[in-house]
């Protein structure tokens, strides 16, 4: 995607300096563009945990690069394998809900010949630097794959938007929640990929952008990147979606996912469930755009099995904004009032019109999901 006409990705490496990984520190958007350098596995873990970056696909890719940075720090340490496993544990403990995190770490271990954490290396013995180079190569490969996956999500999602446009012959109004844009992936985004590609194809689109309290990822991030791409949009308070739907101002809802069960239950940013309920009540299609890497093939009951992250209550009690010269953090609530900050909620499969994946669109149901991903079907 582009920032002021310049092509950017959310995470990258400079071929001239292989000792660091660069990210856009999203905490400063939309008012400042800050590029952060990750030099150590601790830097990568902090970036994930403290939400310098966020979004399930980008969390995974950042963890993959974090494994590479851990290898760089270890050099040719005789205890390389054990310490790399310790680094993997540090990364895995940063965010509990996004399944892409553990998936990416496993992919890095697989590239070293390990089937899972704690098993013996099945390849010929390599030096520490050779293992680290393998981690770098694989992290770059995973990043490129993420770009193509997100592009294909858009390819499969555009017909949904085009069909609505051809029926109404007017602007298609899409409501989204949180940021499932290119800032949440390496490029294109998940929920935004069909939006960008439909816009590029000349289909008139307008996006209702939920502010997404308490961290305001919609108001800060989705609105910013839509603006950079020239997509018409309007920021609305989180509780406005139902009203818009009742008055015929929403044609389609598209959201992302941090973890989806094999049966189609969806964990996404808190507030998604309420949008799905409103969409069902008003007969509006509610789609979830996600890569196959966000599907947890081990889970069938999202409400009971998906861990829900509880974040710092101060994210609810305080708000951060730009005063024209610098960021200010101010208290919103009574000083002694407690708060709780659930990061995600579960939208049951019955409320999901379909899943838009890199392999096509399917029902939010096990049999349909496994039709697109037969390699994950249980062996009879």
């Amino acid at each position: 995607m582009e920032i002021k006409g310049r092509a950017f990705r959310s995470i990258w490496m400079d071929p001239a300096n292989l000792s660091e990984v660069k990210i856009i520190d999203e905490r400063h958007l939309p008012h400042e563009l800050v590029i952060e350098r990750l030099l150590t596995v601790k830097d990568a873990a902090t970036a994930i945990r403290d939400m310098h970056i966020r979004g399930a696909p980008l969390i995974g890719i950042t963890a993959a690069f974090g494994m590479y940075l851990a290898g760089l720090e270890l050099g040719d340490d005789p205890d390389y394998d054990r310490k790399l496993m310790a680094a993997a544990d540090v990364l895995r403990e940063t965010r509990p809900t996004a399944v892409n995190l553990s998936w990416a770490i496993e992919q890095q271990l697989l590239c070293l010949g390990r089937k899972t954490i704690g098993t013996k290396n099945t390849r010929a013995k390599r030096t520490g630097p050779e293992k680290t180079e393998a981690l770098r190569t694989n992290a770059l490969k995973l990043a490129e794959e993420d770009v193509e996956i997100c592009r294909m999500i858009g390819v499969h999602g555009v017909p949904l938007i085009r069909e609505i446009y051809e029926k109404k012959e007017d602007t298609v109004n899409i409501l989204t929640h949180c940021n499932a844009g290119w800032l949440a992936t390496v490029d294109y985004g998940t929920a935004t990929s069909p939006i960008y590609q439909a816009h590029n194809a000349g289909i008139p689109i307008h996006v209702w952008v939920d502010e997404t309290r308490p961290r305001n990822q919609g108001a800060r991030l989705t609105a910013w990147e839509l603006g950079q791409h020239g997509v018409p949009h309007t920021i609305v308070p989180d509780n406005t979606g139902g009203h818009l739907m009742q008055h015929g101002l929403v044609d389609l809802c598209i959201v992302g996912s941090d973890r989806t069960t094999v049966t189609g239950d969806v964990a996404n940013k808190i507030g998604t469930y309420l949008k799905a309920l409103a969409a069902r009540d008003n007969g509006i299609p509610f789609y979830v755009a996600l890569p196959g890497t966000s599907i947890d093939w081990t889970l069938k009951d999202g409400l009971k099995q998906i861990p829900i992250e509880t974040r710092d209550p101060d994210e609810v009690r305080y708000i951060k904004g730009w005063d024209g010269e610098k960021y200010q953090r101010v208290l919103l609530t009574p000083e002694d009032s407690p708060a709780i900050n659930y990061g995600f909620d579960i939208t049951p499969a019955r409320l999901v019109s379909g899943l838009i994946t890199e392999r096509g669109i399917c029902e939010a149901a096990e049999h349909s999901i496994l039709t697109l991903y037969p390699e994950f079907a249980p062996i009879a």
Side-chain angles (χ1 to χ4, degrees), residues 53-369:
I53 60 93
R54 17 74 44 218
L58 183 55
I59 287 171
I61 299 303
T62 304
F65 279 112
M67 292 286 283
Y68 162 66
L69 293 173
L72 277 183
E73 291 179 82
L74 291 171
D76 208 10
D77 191 312
D79 205 11
Y80 185 103
D81 287 358
R82 185 188 67 79
K83 290 180 179 178
L84 186 68
M85 293 300 179
D89 288 340
V90 168
L91 290 164
R92 289 203 308 160
E93 291 169 1
T94 52
R95 299 287 303 275
T97 302
V99 72
N100 302 65
L101 177 62
S102 57
W103 171 84
I105 292 169
E106 285 297 312
Q107 292 301 306
Q108 288 292 61
L109 294 171
L110 281 168
C111 89
L112 298 182
R114 300 172 185 275
K115 291 187 177 179
T116 188
I117 291 178
T119 61
K120 292 183 179 180
N121 199 319
T122 58
R123 294 187 180 177
K125 187 169 181 62
R126 288 179 281 182
T127 65
E130 287 172 336
K131 294 174 185 176
T132 298
E133 177 59 20
L135 291 170
R136 183 183 73 87
T137 300
N138 200 53
L140 291 169
K141 172 177 170 286
L142 294 175
E144 291 302 322
E145 289 175 353
D146 185 73
V147 173
E148 179 60 14
I149 285 170
C150 289
R151 187 187 72 83
M152 289 304 300
I153 288 172
V155 168
H156 293 300
V158 165
L160 294 173
I161 300 172
R162 180 177 287 111
E163 182 180 0
I164 293 171
Y165 172 63
E166 290 175 350
K167 285 181 179 178
K168 69 180 293 193
E169 297 183 342
D170 200 357
T171 299
V172 179
N173 289 293
I174 301 172
L175 184 141
T176 190
H177 188 66
C178 195
N179 174 260
W182 70 266
L183 288 167
T185 66
V186 179
D187 208 344
Y188 287 98
T190 54
T192 59
S193 186
I195 292 170
Y196 288 132
Q197 295 190 49
H199 173 79
N200 292 347
I203 300 173
I205 284 176
H206 169 263
V207 181
W208 296 110
V209 180
D210 276 358
E211 61 182 346
T212 324
R213 281 281 294 150
R215 292 187 65 94
N216 300 299
Q217 294 100 320
R220 294 190 305 107
L221 304 179
T222 302
W224 179 77
E225 61 170 83
L226 289 172
Q228 292 293 323
H229 201 75
V231 178
H233 63 279
T234 304
I235 301 166
V236 294
D238 286 346
N239 292 328
T240 305
H243 171 81
L244 295 172
M245 294 182 205
Q246 285 179 325
H247 289 80
L249 297 173
V250 178
D251 299 303
L252 175 67
C253 299
I254 310 178
V255 302
S257 172
D258 285 80
R259 184 183 302 211
T260 293
T261 67
V262 70
T263 54
D265 294 338
V266 176
N268 193 50
K269 184 56 59 182
I270 193 79
T272 302
Y273 173 47
L274 297 178
K275 295 306 184 305
L277 286 171
R280 172 58 60 90
D281 190 50
N282 289 278
I284 294 168
F286 185 93
Y287 281 86
V288 177
L290 75 163
T293 53
S294 291
I295 300 173
D296 190 329
W297 305 101
T298 69
L299 302 186
K300 293 198 172 186
D301 190 326
L303 198 59
K304 293 180 180 178
Q305 294 179 300
I306 295 179
I308 298 298
E309 177 181 2
T310 303
R311 297 188 56 80
D312 187 343
D314 277 357
E315 292 181 355
V316 176
R317 298 176 65 241
Y318 289 83
I319 193 166
K320 184 179 178 182
W322 184 258
D323 70 1
E325 295 181 356
K326 61 182 181 300
Y327 277 102
Q328 297 277 12
R329 181 172 178 262
V330 296
L331 180 66
L332 284 173
T333 64
E335 193 168 358
D336 57 353
S337 289
I340 194 163
N341 185 13
Y342 297 111
F344 304 88
D345 59 24
I346 306 298
T347 299
R350 62 184 172 80
L351 297 177
V352 178
S353 302
L355 305 177
I356 309 171
T357 79
E358 74 275 16
R359 297 187 183 183
I361 299 177
C362 66
E363 299 173 39
E366 184 172 7
H367 71 276
S368 187
I369 294 170

Side-chain angles (χ1 to χ4, degrees), residues 16-67:
N17 185 358
L18 301 182
S19 64
E20 65 181 36
V21 176
K22 293 182 179 179
I23 61 170
I24 296 174
D25 187 342
E26 298 177 8
R27 297 173 301 167
H28 301 271
L29 292 172
H31 305 294
E32 294 179 313
L33 178 62
V34 175
I35 308 302
E36 181 178 357
R37 298 159 60 236
L38 307 181
L39 303 175
T40 67
V41 66
K42 183 179 179 181
D43 290 344
T46 298
I48 296 170
R49 183 184 58 251
D50 294 347
M51 295 179 69
H52 304 195
I53 60 93
R54 17 74 44 218
L58 183 55
I59 287 171
I61 299 303
T62 304
F65 279 112
M67 292 286 283

